[in-house]
Amino acid sequence: MRPKVTVVGAGNVGATVAQYVVERELADVVLTDVIEGLPQGKALDLLQAGPIHRYDCRLTGSNEYRETADSDIVVITAGLARKPGMSRDDLLFKNAEIVKGVVEQVARYSPNAILIIVTNPLDAMAQLAFRVSGFPKHRVIGMAGILDSARFRTFIALELNVSVENVTAFVLGGHGDTMVPLPRYSTVAGIPITELLPKERIAALVERTANGGAEIVNLLKAGSAFYAPGASTTEMVEAILRDKKKILPCAAYLEGEYGISGLYVGVPVKLGRKGMEEIIQITLTVEENAALKKSAAAVRELIDKLKI
Ligand SMILES: NC(=O)c1ccc[n+]([C@@H]2O[C@H](COP(=O)([O-])OP(=O)(O)OC[C@H]3O[C@@H](n4cnc5c(N)ncnc54)[C@H](O)[C@@H]3O)[C@@H](O)[C@H]2O)c1
């Protein structure tokens, strides 16, 4: 039997996740949304791409949670996306209401699932899902760092005219303007970029990465990025279902790691069949540590507003 993945929210990110998951034949997929016909229509359309893309995964769409029962993974993308001029934090109260309602249903029908949260503001929504579901921390993980580091990798590869496959990058902290890219852990074929690029160029790439989401929102005007977010989420789904023990930057609940307690923040974690199997601690410089603390404080502010 193939694993079962539910994607809640059949909008841009949700439908893209469904597409990438079946294209890799990772799981059968149930798409759900509050809009009648939307998840059903997209699921049927994607199913009909199967003969050409050669996947046999089952895809169904529904407005009910019954059909999501006993999912192995539930990806939550339900909620509003940013418009030009909006920050991720502007979405806080409306998306909190949506995510709370979704998580209550999901936890009821799939009590053993691993939740991957995508809805913004990401770290706060992950914390909300953790509280509302009552699931252990290893089964509630937020997607952000993979996307942020994919953006950084893209910009590094463009700058040096090398394959993206040669580039690894590390980004810590909350998903937002306070994210913390780590140039000294970002490499091209194993060589730290600090040895390949002058400081000012690295600073410019870091800046572009931190504003990577807004750059796309401003171009699209209606809606926000979804191809790279969909790919990043699928990498988490794959690492979990294939028990890859892959180390990836994700939002995880910290209990003292990096000197932070009781908060979801982006850190390197090991993803495997149990979900978030380990938080990897690396030694930070004084400046990096200060930047991470500042980023965590920004997340804490949102958590306080939500009183969770
Ligand atoms: N974590 C990240 O890195 C990252 C990246 C991209 C987007 N996002 C966030 O993901 C979310 C989705 O983005 P999108 O571009 O797919 O938006 P979208 O508007 O295209 O899709 C959102 C979907 O959620 C549905 N929805 C709303 N309330 C719902 C509910 N109660 N139950 C089920 N479905 C519901 C809507 O009908 C819509 O189809 C946004 O909050 C966005 O900010 C996060």
Side-chain angles (χ1 to χ4, degrees):
M1 242 180 54
R2 262 187 296 272
K4 179 172 178 178
V5 171
T6 286
V7 182
V8 185
N12 280 338
V13 178
T16 309
V17 171
Q19 178 189 346
Y20 293 161
V21 165
V22 294
E23 281 179 357
R24 289 178 187 215
E25 284 202 313
L26 293 174
D28 291 336
V29 173
V30 180
L31 259 180
T32 68
D33 202 288
V34 281
I35 300 176
E36 244 172 74
L38 182 76
Q40 293 87 342
K42 289 196 179 177
L44 186 59
D45 193 8
L46 271 173
L47 193 67
Q48 293 165 356
I52 301 159
H53 273 286
R54 286 174 296 188
Y55 50 77
D56 287 306
C57 297
R58 276 173 51 91
L59 273 144
T60 44
S62 176
N63 304 111
E64 307 281 333
Y65 280 89
R66 216 175 318 117
E67 309 187 18
T68 70
D70 299 321
S71 293
D72 295 280
I73 294 179
V74 178
V75 175
I76 298 179
T77 75
L80 307 181
R82 283 197 286 170
K83 298 199 172 73
M86 281 173 89
S87 76
R88 293 180 179 88
D89 299 354
D90 291 336
L91 305 169
L92 183 68
F93 291 105
K94 187 67 200 153
N95 282 354
E97 201 183 303
I98 293 172
V99 167
K100 182 170 180 287
V102 167
V103 171
E104 281 166 356
Q105 294 294 326
V106 161
R108 190 170 144 219
Y109 283 97
S110 298
N112 300 314
I114 293 167
L115 308 184
I116 299 178
I117 313 303
V118 180
T119 305
N120 274 318
L122 189 273
D123 307 88
M125 292 305 108
Q127 183 124 350
L128 178 65
F130 172 61
R131 295 274 183 243
V132 172
S133 65
F135 288 4
K137 64 177 182 179
H138 67 270
R139 289 203 281 120
V140 184
I141 320 161
M143 187 290 287
I146 300 173
L147 172 62
D148 296 332
S149 63
R151 286 181 171 147
F152 197 25
R153 289 167 69 189
T154 305
F155 299 144
I156 293 166
L158 286 174
E159 178 82 11
L160 291 168
N161 192 25
V162 295
S163 165
V164 286
E165 289 181 45
N166 279 142
V167 185
T168 63
F170 232 109
V171 178
L172 290 177
H175 185 45
D177 309 338
T178 59
M179 65 179 78
V180 187
L182 295 191
R184 70 194 174 96
Y185 283 127
S186 303
T187 65
V188 175
I191 308 160
I193 60 164
T194 44
E195 296 193 16
L196 299 170
L197 284 166
K199 262 199 174 121
E200 319 77 67
R201 284 313 302 154
I202 293 176
L205 301 185
V206 164
E207 164 98 10
R208 193 172 175 198
T209 301
N211 296 320
E215 184 177 356
I216 290 176
V217 169
N218 288 333
L219 289 166
L220 294 179
K221 293 181 185 75
S224 55
F226 52 98
Y227 293 116
S232 305
T233 308
T234 306
E235 185 168 36
M236 293 174 70
V237 171
E238 181 174 36
I240 293 167
L241 291 179
R242 300 216 161 127
D243 195 25
K244 287 179 79 82
K245 316 286 186 204
K246 198 166 188 178
I247 295 173
L248 292 164
C250 298
Y253 190 67
L254 302 187
E255 292 177 296
E257 297 88 353
Y258 293 94
I260 298 167
S261 253
L263 202 63
Y264 268 80
V265 179
V267 290
V269 301
K270 189 192 280 179
L271 291 188
R273 195 59 190 86
K274 293 192 186 75
M276 192 278 293
E277 297 187 351
E278 194 183 333
I279 292 171
I280 313 292
Q281 296 213 62
I282 53 170
T283 311
L284 301 179
T285 65
V286 175
E287 295 84 48
E288 288 163 354
N289 195 38
L292 182 63
K293 293 284 152 56
K294 190 172 157 216
S295 181
V299 179
R300 174 84 66 194
E301 222 175 275
L302 299 185
I303 298 299
D304 289 346
K305 280 190 199 163
L306 287 177
K307 301 188 176 61
I308 49 170

